[in-house]
Short mmCIF file of all heavy atoms in Angstrom, two decimals:
data_model
loop_
_atom_site.label_atom_id
_atom_site.label_comp_id
_atom_site.label_asym_id
_atom_site.label_seq_id
_atom_site.Cartn_x
_atom_site.Cartn_y
_atom_site.Cartn_z
N ASP I 47 12.43 9.84 1.48
CA ASP I 47 13.78 10.31 1.20
C ASP I 47 14.04 11.61 1.92
O ASP I 47 15.18 11.83 2.43
CB ASP I 47 13.96 10.49 -0.31
CG ASP I 47 15.33 10.85 -0.70
OD1 ASP I 47 16.25 10.01 -0.55
OD2 ASP I 47 15.60 12.07 -1.10
N HIS I 48 13.08 12.46 1.99
CA HIS I 48 13.17 13.78 2.63
C HIS I 48 13.33 13.64 4.14
O HIS I 48 14.07 14.44 4.77
CB HIS I 48 11.94 14.63 2.29
CG HIS I 48 11.97 16.01 2.79
ND1 HIS I 48 12.94 16.94 2.43
CD2 HIS I 48 11.14 16.69 3.64
CE1 HIS I 48 12.71 18.11 3.06
NE2 HIS I 48 11.66 17.98 3.77
N TYR I 49 12.56 12.70 4.73
CA TYR I 49 12.69 12.53 6.21
C TYR I 49 14.15 12.28 6.60
O TYR I 49 14.57 12.77 7.64
CB TYR I 49 11.87 11.34 6.65
CG TYR I 49 10.38 11.43 6.54
CD1 TYR I 49 9.60 10.27 6.34
CD2 TYR I 49 9.74 12.66 6.57
CE1 TYR I 49 8.22 10.39 6.25
CE2 TYR I 49 8.36 12.74 6.48
CZ TYR I 49 7.59 11.60 6.30
OH TYR I 49 6.21 11.67 6.20
N PHE I 50 14.86 11.53 5.78
CA PHE I 50 16.18 11.06 6.23
C PHE I 50 17.25 11.97 5.70
O PHE I 50 18.18 11.53 4.96
CB PHE I 50 16.39 9.60 5.76
CG PHE I 50 15.28 8.67 6.22
CD1 PHE I 50 14.64 7.80 5.37
CD2 PHE I 50 14.91 8.68 7.58
CE1 PHE I 50 13.62 6.96 5.81
CE2 PHE I 50 13.92 7.86 8.05
CZ PHE I 50 13.24 7.00 7.19
N THR I 51 17.09 13.27 6.00
CA THR I 51 18.13 14.26 5.63
C THR I 51 18.37 15.12 6.85
O THR I 51 17.50 15.30 7.68
CB THR I 51 17.64 15.14 4.45
OG1 THR I 51 16.43 15.85 4.87
CG2 THR I 51 17.34 14.33 3.23
N GLN I 52 19.55 15.73 6.89
CA GLN I 52 19.88 16.61 8.00
C GLN I 52 19.00 17.86 8.06
O GLN I 52 18.56 18.25 9.09
CB GLN I 52 21.34 17.02 7.96
CG GLN I 52 21.73 17.95 9.13
CD GLN I 52 23.24 18.00 9.42
OE1 GLN I 52 23.95 17.04 9.01
NE2 GLN I 52 23.67 18.98 10.07
N ASN I 53 18.66 18.35 6.88
CA ASN I 53 17.82 19.51 6.81
C ASN I 53 16.45 19.27 7.46
O ASN I 53 15.96 20.09 8.24
CB ASN I 53 17.62 19.89 5.30
CG ASN I 53 16.67 21.08 5.12
OD1 ASN I 53 15.48 20.94 5.06
ND2 ASN I 53 17.22 22.31 5.08
N TYR I 54 15.88 18.10 7.15
CA TYR I 54 14.58 17.84 7.73
C TYR I 54 14.64 17.53 9.20
O TYR I 54 13.77 17.96 9.98
CB TYR I 54 13.85 16.66 6.99
CG TYR I 54 12.45 16.46 7.48
CD1 TYR I 54 11.42 17.34 7.08
CD2 TYR I 54 12.10 15.38 8.28
CE1 TYR I 54 10.15 17.15 7.55
CE2 TYR I 54 10.82 15.22 8.73
CZ TYR I 54 9.85 16.11 8.38
OH TYR I 54 8.58 15.93 8.81
N LEU I 55 15.67 16.82 9.64
CA LEU I 55 15.84 16.52 11.09
C LEU I 55 16.05 17.77 11.91
O LEU I 55 15.57 17.87 13.00
CB LEU I 55 16.98 15.53 11.24
CG LEU I 55 16.75 14.16 10.64
CD1 LEU I 55 17.95 13.23 10.96
CD2 LEU I 55 15.46 13.54 11.10
N GLU I 56 16.77 18.78 11.33
CA GLU I 56 16.91 20.05 12.03
C GLU I 56 15.51 20.79 12.11
O GLU I 56 15.22 21.41 13.09
CB GLU I 56 17.93 20.92 11.34
CG GLU I 56 19.37 20.39 11.52
CD GLU I 56 20.36 21.13 10.72
OE1 GLU I 56 19.97 21.93 9.79
OE2 GLU I 56 21.58 20.96 10.98
N PHE I 57 14.73 20.68 11.01
CA PHE I 57 13.40 21.27 11.03
C PHE I 57 12.56 20.61 12.09
O PHE I 57 11.77 21.29 12.83
CB PHE I 57 12.77 21.01 9.65
CG PHE I 57 11.27 21.29 9.60
CD1 PHE I 57 10.77 22.61 9.60
CD2 PHE I 57 10.41 20.20 9.52
CE1 PHE I 57 9.43 22.81 9.51
CE2 PHE I 57 9.06 20.41 9.43
CZ PHE I 57 8.54 21.72 9.44
N VAL I 58 12.70 19.26 12.27
CA VAL I 58 11.93 18.54 13.30
C VAL I 58 12.33 18.98 14.69
O VAL I 58 11.49 19.21 15.54
CB VAL I 58 12.10 17.00 13.15
CG1 VAL I 58 11.57 16.26 14.35
CG2 VAL I 58 11.41 16.52 11.88
N ARG I 59 13.63 19.14 14.90
CA ARG I 59 14.06 19.65 16.23
C ARG I 59 13.50 21.02 16.54
O ARG I 59 13.08 21.32 17.66
CB ARG I 59 15.60 19.68 16.31
CG ARG I 59 16.08 20.16 17.65
CD ARG I 59 17.56 19.86 17.95
NE ARG I 59 18.39 20.49 16.94
CZ ARG I 59 19.70 20.35 16.89
NH1 ARG I 59 20.29 19.49 17.76
NH2 ARG I 59 20.45 20.94 15.99
N GLU I 60 13.43 21.91 15.55
CA GLU I 60 12.88 23.25 15.74
C GLU I 60 11.38 23.12 16.12
O GLU I 60 10.90 23.87 16.93
CB GLU I 60 13.05 24.07 14.48
CG GLU I 60 14.48 24.47 14.23
CD GLU I 60 14.65 25.15 12.95
OE1 GLU I 60 13.64 25.33 12.20
OE2 GLU I 60 15.81 25.49 12.54
N ARG I 61 10.66 22.13 15.46
CA ARG I 61 9.24 21.89 15.80
C ARG I 61 9.13 21.51 17.26
O ARG I 61 8.24 21.99 17.98
CB ARG I 61 8.65 20.81 14.92
CG ARG I 61 8.27 21.22 13.55
CD ARG I 61 7.59 20.07 12.80
NE ARG I 61 6.61 19.43 13.62
CZ ARG I 61 5.33 19.79 13.70
NH1 ARG I 61 4.93 20.84 13.03
NH2 ARG I 61 4.45 19.15 14.46
N ILE I 62 9.96 20.59 17.67
CA ILE I 62 9.90 20.11 19.05
C ILE I 62 10.19 21.25 19.99
O ILE I 62 9.50 21.44 21.04
CB ILE I 62 10.91 18.99 19.26
CG1 ILE I 62 10.47 17.70 18.55
CG2 ILE I 62 11.12 18.64 20.76
CD1 ILE I 62 11.47 16.57 18.51
N GLN I 63 11.18 22.08 19.73
CA GLN I 63 11.52 23.22 20.59
C GLN I 63 10.38 24.20 20.64
O GLN I 63 10.06 24.73 21.71
CB GLN I 63 12.80 23.89 20.09
CG GLN I 63 14.03 23.06 20.28
CD GLN I 63 15.28 23.63 19.59
OE1 GLN I 63 15.13 24.46 18.65
NE2 GLN I 63 16.45 23.23 20.00
N GLY I 64 9.71 24.43 19.51
CA GLY I 64 8.55 25.31 19.46
C GLY I 64 7.42 24.81 20.32
O GLY I 64 6.77 25.56 21.05
N ARG I 65 7.08 23.55 20.18
CA ARG I 65 6.00 22.99 20.98
C ARG I 65 6.35 22.94 22.46
O ARG I 65 5.48 23.14 23.31
CB ARG I 65 5.68 21.55 20.46
CG ARG I 65 5.14 21.54 19.09
CD ARG I 65 4.56 20.13 18.69
NE ARG I 65 3.34 19.84 19.45
CZ ARG I 65 2.69 18.64 19.30
NH1 ARG I 65 3.10 17.76 18.49
NH2 ARG I 65 1.62 18.46 20.02
N LEU I 66 7.60 22.66 22.77
CA LEU I 66 8.08 22.73 24.18
C LEU I 66 7.89 24.15 24.77
O LEU I 66 7.37 24.26 25.91
CB LEU I 66 9.54 22.29 24.22
CG LEU I 66 10.17 22.40 25.62
CD1 LEU I 66 9.45 21.52 26.64
CD2 LEU I 66 11.63 21.99 25.51
N MET I 67 8.26 25.19 24.05
CA MET I 67 8.15 26.53 24.53
C MET I 67 6.65 26.85 24.80
O MET I 67 6.34 27.49 25.83
CB MET I 67 8.74 27.49 23.51
CG MET I 67 10.23 27.43 23.35
SD MET I 67 11.03 27.89 24.97
CE MET I 67 10.54 29.60 25.17
N ARG I 68 5.76 26.43 23.90
CA ARG I 68 4.36 26.72 24.15
C ARG I 68 3.83 26.02 25.38
O ARG I 68 3.03 26.54 26.14
CB ARG I 68 3.51 26.30 22.93
CG ARG I 68 3.86 27.14 21.69
CD ARG I 68 2.76 27.13 20.68
NE ARG I 68 2.31 25.80 20.26
CZ ARG I 68 2.92 25.14 19.23
NH1 ARG I 68 3.97 25.70 18.61
NH2 ARG I 68 2.50 23.97 18.94
N LEU I 69 4.29 24.80 25.58
CA LEU I 69 3.88 24.07 26.82
C LEU I 69 4.43 24.78 28.08
O LEU I 69 3.76 24.84 29.13
CB LEU I 69 4.39 22.62 26.78
CG LEU I 69 3.55 21.66 25.92
CD1 LEU I 69 4.20 20.32 25.88
CD2 LEU I 69 2.12 21.52 26.46
N MET I 70 5.63 25.22 28.03
CA MET I 70 6.24 25.87 29.19
C MET I 70 5.53 27.21 29.50
O MET I 70 5.31 27.54 30.65
CB MET I 70 7.73 26.11 28.96
CG MET I 70 8.54 24.81 28.88
SD MET I 70 10.29 25.04 28.42
CE MET I 70 10.89 25.81 29.89
N GLU I 71 5.12 27.90 28.45
CA GLU I 71 4.35 29.17 28.66
C GLU I 71 3.04 28.83 29.30
O GLU I 71 2.55 29.55 30.18
CB GLU I 71 4.20 29.86 27.33
CG GLU I 71 5.47 30.46 26.76
CD GLU I 71 5.33 30.98 25.38
OE1 GLU I 71 4.17 30.94 24.84
OE2 GLU I 71 6.30 31.43 24.77
N LYS I 72 2.39 27.78 28.78
CA LYS I 72 1.06 27.40 29.32
C LYS I 72 1.19 26.97 30.77
O LYS I 72 0.33 27.25 31.64
CB LYS I 72 0.46 26.25 28.49
CG LYS I 72 -0.92 25.83 28.98
CD LYS I 72 -1.52 24.71 28.19
CE LYS I 72 -2.88 24.34 28.79
NZ LYS I 72 -3.47 23.16 28.14
N GLU I 73 2.32 26.23 31.12
CA GLU I 73 2.56 25.79 32.49
C GLU I 73 2.65 26.97 33.43
O GLU I 73 2.11 26.95 34.55
CB GLU I 73 3.82 24.96 32.56
CG GLU I 73 4.09 24.37 33.89
CD GLU I 73 5.33 23.45 33.85
OE1 GLU I 73 6.29 23.77 33.13
OE2 GLU I 73 5.29 22.40 34.54
N GLN I 74 3.28 28.05 33.04
CA GLN I 74 3.38 29.22 33.87
C GLN I 74 2.05 29.94 34.03
O GLN I 74 1.79 30.49 35.13
CB GLN I 74 4.46 30.20 33.30
CG GLN I 74 5.87 29.66 33.36
CD GLN I 74 6.82 30.67 32.81
OE1 GLN I 74 6.48 31.57 32.10
NE2 GLN I 74 8.12 30.45 33.13
N LYS I 75 1.26 29.94 32.99
CA LYS I 75 0.00 30.70 33.03
C LYS I 75 -1.15 29.97 33.74
O LYS I 75 -1.89 30.49 34.50
CB LYS I 75 -0.43 31.11 31.63
CG LYS I 75 0.52 32.12 31.01
CD LYS I 75 0.10 32.44 29.58
CE LYS I 75 0.99 33.45 28.95
NZ LYS I 75 0.55 33.74 27.54
N GLU I 76 -1.27 28.65 33.35
CA GLU I 76 -2.48 27.94 33.80
C GLU I 76 -2.22 26.51 34.28
O GLU I 76 -3.14 25.84 34.68
CB GLU I 76 -3.55 27.97 32.73
CG GLU I 76 -3.05 27.37 31.38
CD GLU I 76 -4.05 27.56 30.28
OE1 GLU I 76 -4.95 26.69 30.15
OE2 GLU I 76 -3.93 28.56 29.55
N GLY I 77 -0.97 26.06 34.20
CA GLY I 77 -0.68 24.68 34.56
C GLY I 77 -0.91 23.73 33.43
O GLY I 77 -1.54 24.05 32.40
N LEU I 78 -0.46 22.52 33.60
CA LEU I 78 -0.57 21.46 32.62
C LEU I 78 -1.30 20.27 33.10
O LEU I 78 -1.28 19.99 34.32
CB LEU I 78 0.86 21.01 32.12
CG LEU I 78 1.79 22.08 31.54
CD1 LEU I 78 3.12 21.48 31.20
CD2 LEU I 78 1.19 22.68 30.28
N THR I 79 -1.91 19.53 32.22
CA THR I 79 -2.50 18.25 32.59
C THR I 79 -1.37 17.21 32.70
O THR I 79 -0.25 17.50 32.38
CB THR I 79 -3.47 17.77 31.47
OG1 THR I 79 -2.77 17.55 30.27
CG2 THR I 79 -4.55 18.81 31.18
N ASP I 80 -1.71 16.07 33.27
CA ASP I 80 -0.69 15.00 33.45
C ASP I 80 -0.14 14.58 32.06
O ASP I 80 1.08 14.42 31.91
CB ASP I 80 -1.34 13.79 34.06
CG ASP I 80 -1.63 14.00 35.57
OD1 ASP I 80 -1.05 14.97 36.15
OD2 ASP I 80 -2.41 13.23 36.11
#
Side-chain angles (χ1 to χ4, degrees):
D47 184 69
H48 184 60
Y49 292 153
F50 305 131
T51 61
Q52 180 158 339
N53 177 274
Y54 187 72
L55 295 183
E56 288 174 347
F57 167 76
V58 167
R59 180 165 60 185
E60 290 173 4
R61 280 184 49 85
I62 291 174
Q63 291 170 341
R65 293 190 69 181
L66 174 61
M67 290 298 295
R68 294 202 304 273
L69 281 175
M70 293 174 71
E71 289 171 3
K72 183 182 179 185
E73 186 175 36
Q74 290 182 343
K75 292 179 181 179
E76 56 188 274
L78 300 176
T79 65
D80 289 341

